[in-house]
Amino acid sequence: MDLGVDFGTTRTITAVADRGNYPVVGLTDQLGDSHDWFPSVAALAGNRLVHGFEALAAAEQGAPLLRSFKRLLATPDFGPDTLVRVGDAVFPLVTVLESHLVALREALVRSGIDWASVTSTVISVPAHAHGPQRFWTLESFRRAGFPVTAMMNEPSAAGFEYTHRQPRTISSKRTRLIVYDLGGGTFDASLVKVEGTAHEVVDSLGVNALGGDDFDRVLADLALTAIGTPADRLSPTAADDLLMACREAKERLSPQTRRIALEAAGDVVVVDVNDFYAAATPLVEQSLAAMRPLLGGLDAETAELSDVAGIYLVGGGSGLPLVPRLLRERFGRRVHRSPYPAASTAIGLAIAADAQSGFSLTERLSRGFGVFREVADGRALSFDPILDRAAEVPADGEQVVVRRYRARHNVGEFRFVEYAQLDPSGHPAGDVVPFGRIVFPFEAALQREPAPVPVAVERRDEGPEVEERYVIDPNGIVTVRITDLDTGFALEESLAST
């Protein structure tokens, strides 16, 4: 059995490959009702973490609830030591994630999935996810017992769902698709070239901190303003209840809705939909600004859109009627909203997991990778962009980039970072994330120490031959290895060692 699992900010959705069909797995809540999703929440019940529907039920009994913890994975300083508070208890964030996925697996088994027959699981991450988020998402799924065979970017998976459902819209004249993926916590956009069932990601852009949660906060602020109550007057429980009420009200909106009734701080308040849309429009405009570089100008009449089959709206956040309305005002009839906006990615992942589907993908890194090097005898830094954000990710095996040179100093310090873009001076800009640091002794005598001792950087006329080896795996995760080819001494920096 093949599964596709989309771990989302608000909901985790699983689809299964079934003889060319890819249905979403229904899961049962505490009342016996079936849902096409598993809530991405955790609660502290006594001294243990519970998840999904059990967490929501525990919260109704007063247990502290943690929502949207996926967003914390995207923070620049996220790592295995990142802690998160649930009530009075503190847990490593990766422990919460692994516990959530164990609970998901148990819920799938209760739904009737024969786990012994599950041989392939394809999972997803945001296209703009940095290395630590990719690695720990993958590692947590594996530790939770999922047989992970591949990891895809979310909009790439949604592109599979589009092509599977609407293959006739792809023609010799219209070979490209823009996937607009507005989820609960992140926004991604990918430009995908399609030829039959072969997909090639041309480019991807995104915003790690833009999603449905932000629209919920806009609505909550309007409600509190209407009753004259500052947000800091609410208790954590009351604030969480209000955001949940806003999320549910937002998801019930239709194009005909005119007013939104909410309970805020014990008062019933009515928010005019037009006021909500006016306040939320800048969020949609932010997504359009982020995706603009994918095609010059991004106007309906530009020549760059002539070979685009459509702009495909997916993700739970795209269910807000304001989103397709604004995009259609800009791009006309080429805007198509998925009939399964929240499940599109999971369905695409199940297609990818199905070896009989024939679908293939050429993915790209979507984030650059480079190193700050010491120059001028350690008195200054320069930046060397090693891997371009458009570099292809190997479908299987590894892609290797090698640099070799003669060292000119006794010791070198390498500061590796991931980045969204380079500024005009060639330095990283836009969501820069530290990857790691290596202090490498080029002098053989220093290599015999247990660790490089702090020494002053000194120039050498003739140092050893050094090799820098950068390896990209099929999940877009980079490993760095620096070797003194004269002595064989080597140091490595990889996320697996953190």
Side-chain angles (χ1 to χ4, degrees):
M1 181 178 291
D2 303 318
L3 302 179
V5 183
D6 176 26
F7 164 50
T9 302
T10 58
R11 294 169 178 169
T12 301
I13 300 177
T14 303
V16 61
D18 182 14
R19 295 166 293 182
N21 298 305
Y22 306 95
V24 172
V25 179
L27 300 173
T28 304
D29 65 16
Q30 306 304 100
L31 299 177
D33 296 324
S34 181
H35 304 269
D36 289 342
W37 40 269
F38 187 73
S40 299
V41 296
L44 188 63
N47 58 0
R48 70 184 185 97
L49 285 172
V50 295
H51 299 268
F53 299 111
E54 186 179 359
L56 294 180
E60 291 182 356
Q61 301 302 315
L65 188 68
L66 176 65
R67 300 184 186 276
S68 303
F69 58 88
K70 178 184 175 181
R71 296 191 87 165
L72 303 177
L73 303 176
T75 55
D77 58 351
F78 164 68
D81 299 324
T82 300
L83 300 177
V84 62
R85 180 174 293 277
V86 187
D88 295 329
V90 175
F91 299 90
L93 180 54
V94 294
T95 298
V96 176
L97 175 56
E98 182 181 340
S99 177
H100 173 75
L101 297 174
V102 169
L104 171 66
R105 174 173 57 81
E106 293 171 348
L108 290 171
V109 171
R110 289 194 299 271
S111 76
I113 297 291
D114 176 11
W115 201 255
S117 69
V118 177
T119 57
S120 173
T121 305
V122 178
I123 64 174
S124 63
V125 290
H128 206 51
H130 53 62
Q133 182 175 4
R134 291 177 182 275
F135 175 80
W136 286 107
T137 300
L138 177 65
E139 183 71 7
S140 296
F141 266 94
R142 286 175 172 165
R143 291 181 181 182
F146 286 83
V148 179
T149 52
M151 182 167 65
M152 294 178 67
N153 290 341
E154 291 165 1
S156 302
F160 274 24
E161 185 266 324
Y162 176 89
T163 308
H164 172 75
R165 195 172 54 82
Q166 300 192 62
R168 294 182 180 179
T169 63
I170 304 295
S171 66
S172 59
K173 292 184 178 180
R174 293 186 173 176
T175 60
R176 298 193 295 174
L177 172 71
I178 297 175
V179 179
Y180 175 102
D181 184 0
L182 182 63
T186 59
F187 169 73
D188 285 314
S190 289
L191 178 61
V192 184
K193 183 178 180 181
V194 183
E195 186 173 330
T197 56
H199 295 64
E200 178 185 353
V201 175
V202 179
D203 199 0
S204 293
L205 296 165
V207 181
N208 273 341
L210 174 64
D213 285 358
D214 302 293
F215 290 83
D216 299 339
R217 291 190 183 93
V218 167
L219 182 54
D221 289 343
L222 289 174
L224 292 174
T225 298
I227 61 175
T229 300
D232 57 11
R233 289 261 192 97
L234 297 183
S235 68
T237 299
D240 189 67
D241 288 344
L242 175 58
L243 286 174
M244 185 60 183
C246 289
R247 178 179 301 167
E248 292 174 349
K250 179 195 69 180
E251 292 176 351
R252 290 194 299 267
L253 292 178
S254 71
Q256 293 75 37
T257 304
R258 295 293 176 262
R259 292 176 179 82
I260 307 169
L262 295 164
E263 182 176 326
D267 293 330
V268 175
V269 60
V270 176
V271 176
D272 189 282
V273 167
N274 289 331
D275 292 339
F276 173 47
Y277 285 175
T281 292
L283 296 175
V284 183
E285 293 293 345
Q286 185 181 349
S287 71
L288 294 176
M291 69 183 284
R292 184 169 291 117
L294 292 180
L295 287 176
L298 280 182
D299 289 318
E301 303 303 322
T302 59
E304 289 87 346
L305 281 176
S306 61
D307 63 350
V308 172
I311 300 175
Y312 195 45
L313 275 55
V314 301
S318 70
L320 182 67
L322 173 69
V323 176
R325 178 190 302 177
L326 290 181
L327 268 73
R328 287 189 178 113
E329 288 176 0
R330 184 76 60 89
F331 307 120
R333 292 178 297 174
R334 297 199 186 171
V335 175
H336 310 288
R337 181 169 171 261
S338 171
Y340 320 103
S344 177
T345 295
I347 294 170
L349 294 171
I351 294 170
D354 182 6
Q356 304 303 314
S357 71
F359 278 59
S360 64
L361 175 69
T362 301
E363 188 63 273
R364 301 190 185 275
L365 280 182
S366 78
R367 296 179 64 85
F369 183 94
V371 58
F372 285 98
R373 304 179 186 276
E374 291 185 339
V375 295
D377 299 338
R379 296 190 301 274
L381 292 175
S382 68
F383 186 72
D384 183 3
I386 303 293
L387 301 170
D388 187 80
R389 56 187 299 276
E392 286 189 11
V393 175
D396 53 82
E398 298 174 333
Q399 181 174 330
V400 180
V401 175
V402 174
R403 299 278 182 89
R404 288 183 178 176
Y405 53 87
R406 284 283 174 185
R408 299 300 182 187
H409 297 88
N410 60 334
V411 65
E413 184 170 359
F414 302 80
R415 302 173 180 88
F416 301 99
V417 298
E418 298 179 46
Y419 57 91
Q421 59 190 8
L422 295 173
D423 65 19
S425 67
H427 286 82
D431 199 14
V432 179
V433 176
F435 177 86
R437 170 178 173 269
I438 293 179
V439 178
F440 194 93
F442 298 128
E443 194 170 293
L446 298 175
Q447 295 173 2
R448 291 191 288 270
E449 299 289 337
V453 297
V455 295
V457 177
E458 298 176 359
R459 185 169 180 81
R460 297 287 188 265
D461 290 334
E462 190 66 23
E465 185 178 9
V466 176
E467 178 186 88
E468 297 175 15
R469 180 175 292 263
Y470 301 89
V471 179
I472 312 169
D473 75 5
N475 301 307
I477 298 173
V478 180
T479 299
V480 181
R481 185 177 179 85
I482 303 177
T483 304
D484 180 335
L485 296 178
D486 291 357
T487 66
F489 179 80
L491 292 175
E492 182 173 291
E493 182 69 26
S494 68
L495 294 168
S497 64
T498 55

